[in-house]
Amino acid sequence: MLVKLTGAALQGIDAIPVTIEVLAEPGFQLVMVGLPDAVVKESAERVCSAIQQSGFEYPRKKIVVNMAPADVRKEGSAYDLPIALGILAASSQLSPASFADYLIMGELSLDGSLLPVKGVLPMAIMARAAGIKGIIVPTQNATEAAVVNNLEVYGMKNLGQVAAFLAGKESHEPTVVNTRAEFATALENFDFDFLDVKGQESVKRAFEVACAGGHNILLVGPPGSGKSMMAKRLPSILPPLSLAEALETTKIHSVAGKLKGGSKLMTTRPFRAPHHTISPVALVGGGANPVPGEISLAHNGVLFLDEFPEFSRAVLEVMRQPLEDRHICISRARYTIDYPAGFMLVASMNPCPCGYYNHPTKECTCTQLQVQRYLSRISGPLLDRIDIQVEIMPVPFTELQSLHQGEPSKTIRERVTAARAIQAERFATEPNIHCNAQMPPRLLSRWARPVPEAMQILESAMTRFDMSARAYDRILKVARTIADLDASPSILPLHMHEAVSYRALDRSTWGLK
């Protein structure tokens, strides 16, 4: 008897339908075709044990399992459940009448229990688009799939429960998640708040400007000055995720297997902080079984690179193209995958090997050549893509012991959101531009034209500090963002003064003792 079930395969952050055909005929072996990987082939033992432990009989026949389309590689353990159900139906122990109504995926343990799988959210999105009535997944994945509206989602605990449900012997209520209500209530929950940060008002302001315009930012300062502490609080002042952004972000984390059991829609912007020993593949994605890298996991959020110069040159250089294009195309012999990578880069570094160059109280023991070599670990083209470069100094003791609290993240976020709203209206007719940091030169001349007095300030700074030409566009973009925070239609002299102050490393005198 031949039966067919519907499953799914992941390609990038999307899913495609897979038809799982099971045929029982005379013989004594299990044959799998359709480009299954080693994990799928190993399902034979899990499926056999799960069927027997669930009170069914494993058929003494030749079982042929075909997964179509045959030219798409099938990976992972999520095909255990549909293969087991197909074998039961092909051996006449279960009616296949209701199979066409559901997309079925799940990993089986030896006792027939269902274990969670990754990529359930894009599978659910694909099922709804294909007009499938519902989806059957392990209980731990049910709330993740239920984020998709107009789709019946059934979370099951074991193989026997799924078989009874499909046979009509048991009834189950579909899992329902009020996506919009839960999304709205969770937007303001943060573990870190700028309220706890004492002093560092100039750095807080730089973070506010960076978030308002989507600018990449580099912090340069001695150890213990608060670089990492403040970077962790950045998601709390970024604009709230839209529902579309939240869905896209959750898809990426679902495909990467980063969602915890019972997870729903992600409501806060991701914050990724990989160690400096990370490899290029781990950063951009790929591998034998392709998964999103850190730059994709940080999509719609923050990628924080602490100890920036300690990252290998190869790792840093692979970020140059994604920083401009906001996506990464990974091409290998076996596959080509495109992952989104629209992240805000936040990097921090010591000013020199000993860490105390320009320190107000401690003496730097590095030579001028050592300072220059340390900075040169970051290439010019990469530094070119960082709009804001800020020096940060340790907080004085008098401010540390002060009981005065800083400005809360909620207040800062309101100003950031208002500035982003101005930019959303400005770029409404530009489909791939959402904030000032993404402005190409053709739009700079239209939207970032300073008043004559402000242009004189920029000209003077370029000449005095011998700034490179690459700083010109960056300063104009940052100045436009500062003007947006003030709701000013023009870039005024005070806006230009502040924007110029955010180009510390472009000065020809940097690193000269």
Side-chain angles (χ1 to χ4, degrees):
M1 181 178 179
L2 174 65
V3 297
K4 296 184 180 182
L5 302 91
T6 302
L10 297 174
Q11 285 194 333
I13 64 169
D14 298 312
I16 61 171
V18 171
T19 301
I20 301 164
E21 302 173 323
V22 182
L23 173 65
E25 57 184 15
F28 299 97
Q29 66 180 124
L30 175 62
V31 179
M32 292 189 185
V33 295
L35 215 57
D37 71 351
V39 178
V40 178
K41 292 177 180 178
E42 287 176 352
S43 67
E45 300 301 326
R46 294 193 296 270
V47 167
C48 178
S49 176
I51 287 176
Q52 293 174 343
Q53 294 296 322
S54 300
F56 297 98
E57 179 183 352
Y58 190 82
R60 296 184 178 181
K61 295 183 178 181
K62 178 182 179 181
I63 305 296
V64 180
V65 179
N66 178 45
M67 303 178 186
D71 60 343
V72 175
R73 190 161 185 80
K74 320 303 183 304
E75 299 173 340
S77 57
Y79 298 98
D80 292 2
L81 180 58
I83 290 173
L85 293 172
I87 291 174
L88 292 177
S91 59
S92 302
Q93 299 180 69
L94 183 66
S95 172
S98 58
F99 284 3
D101 294 333
Y102 301 100
L103 185 149
I104 305 171
M105 297 293 278
E107 177 184 341
L108 287 171
S109 64
L110 295 181
D111 64 357
S113 301
L114 284 174
L115 303 176
V117 296
K118 64 181 182 180
V120 166
L121 179 57
M123 293 177 189
I125 294 173
M126 181 274 292
R128 183 181 66 179
I132 298 174
K133 176 183 176 182
I135 180 173
I136 298 175
V137 292
T139 303
Q140 299 94 321
N141 294 120
T143 53
E144 177 187 339
V147 166
V148 181
N149 298 323
N150 303 319
L151 182 72
E152 295 181 9
V153 177
Y154 295 95
M156 300 292 181
K157 296 180 179 179
N158 52 61
L159 175 60
Q161 196 176 58
V162 178
F165 172 73
L166 292 174
K169 297 178 181 179
E170 291 184 10
S171 61
H172 293 269
E173 290 295 322
T175 302
V176 178
V177 174
N178 190 335
T179 304
R180 295 186 180 276
E182 296 196 11
F183 181 69
T185 57
L187 284 177
E188 301 298 329
N189 296 330
F190 295 102
D191 297 328
F192 303 101
D193 196 296
F194 272 97
L195 187 71
D196 307 321
V197 180
K198 295 182 179 180
Q200 303 292 14
E201 298 303 324
S202 61
V203 183
K204 291 179 189 176
R205 171 64 177 179
F207 275 142
E208 180 180 339
V209 173
C211 292
H215 303 286
N216 301 319
I217 182 171
L218 172 64
L219 302 178
V220 184
S225 53
K227 302 186 293 292
S228 301
M229 180 192 68
M230 286 190 285
K232 291 178 181 178
R233 286 159 172 77
L234 265 183
S236 67
I237 65 173
L238 281 168
L241 282 169
S242 66
L243 197 56
E245 287 177 326
L247 189 62
E248 184 180 31
T249 305
T250 308
K251 280 176 62 178
I252 297 170
H253 285 251
S254 175
V255 168
K258 300 296 183 180
L259 293 180
K260 298 179 180 179
S263 294
K264 302 175 185 176
L265 200 65
M266 292 181 65
T267 55
T268 58
R269 293 186 181 273
F271 180 88
R272 306 294 300 183
H275 192 260
H276 62 259
T277 56
I278 189 172
S279 68
V281 172
L283 186 71
V284 302
N289 297 318
V291 293
E294 288 292 335
I295 62 173
S296 296
L297 293 172
H299 182 65
N300 292 324
V302 175
L303 178 68
F304 177 51
L305 301 184
D306 199 7
E307 305 297 342
F308 201 34
E310 302 302 327
F311 286 79
S312 75
R313 189 66 171 253
V315 168
L316 294 180
E317 293 306 300
V318 297
M319 287 196 303
R320 286 162 53 177
Q321 180 262 336
L323 280 170
E324 290 291 330
D325 298 341
R326 298 177 64 81
H327 71 91
I328 178 71
C329 182
I330 302 169
S331 298
R332 300 290 185 269
R334 289 170 44 199
Y335 60 83
T336 298
I337 292 178
D338 192 271
Y339 288 125
F343 60 92
M344 176 180 165
L345 175 63
V346 180
S348 69
M349 60 178 286
N350 296 331
C352 63
C354 79
Y356 296 109
Y357 174 73
N358 274 353
H359 195 283
T361 59
K362 296 185 179 182
E363 184 179 356
C364 174
T365 60
C366 304
T367 65
Q368 177 180 323
L369 182 59
Q370 286 176 316
V371 176
Q372 293 288 346
R373 280 179 176 174
Y374 192 71
L375 180 61
S376 67
R377 294 185 185 181
I378 307 169
S379 69
L382 181 58
L383 199 61
D384 177 33
R385 289 161 171 80
I386 301 178
D387 298 349
I388 299 177
Q389 305 154 6
V390 183
E391 286 189 79
I392 176 173
M393 291 297 159
V395 180
F397 178 75
T398 53
E399 291 189 29
L400 283 176
Q401 67 174 351
S402 172
L403 298 177
H404 175 70
Q405 288 185 315
E407 190 175 25
S409 293
K410 183 178 180 181
T411 304
I412 302 174
R413 180 188 239 193
E414 289 173 354
R415 296 196 295 267
V416 168
T417 304
R420 283 289 185 102
I422 293 173
Q423 295 165 48
E425 182 178 353
R426 175 182 301 142
F427 304 125
T429 58
E430 303 287 342
N432 297 319
I433 301 175
H434 309 285
C435 56
N436 289 334
Q438 301 169 14
M439 272 195 293
R442 64 181 176 83
L443 293 181
L444 273 177
S445 59
R446 178 181 179 186
W447 298 112
R449 292 179 63 87
V451 298
E453 296 84 356
M455 182 57 79
Q456 290 177 2
I457 294 171
L458 177 57
E459 181 182 359
S460 175
M462 296 282 293
T463 304
R464 178 183 176 187
F465 297 118
D466 192 22
M467 290 184 177
S468 62
R470 69 172 181 258
Y472 179 80
D473 285 358
R474 306 292 172 179
I475 292 174
L476 286 179
K477 292 178 183 180
V478 174
R480 178 65 266 171
T481 299
I482 297 170
D484 289 341
L485 283 168
D486 287 345
S488 171
S490 302
I491 298 177
L492 304 177
L494 74 162
H495 304 144
M496 187 61 73
H497 270 301
E498 184 177 354
V500 169
S501 71
Y502 293 145
R503 299 297 298 185
L505 300 187
D506 273 334
R507 300 174 184 176
S508 60
T509 56
W510 174 263
L512 299 179
K513 295 189 175 183

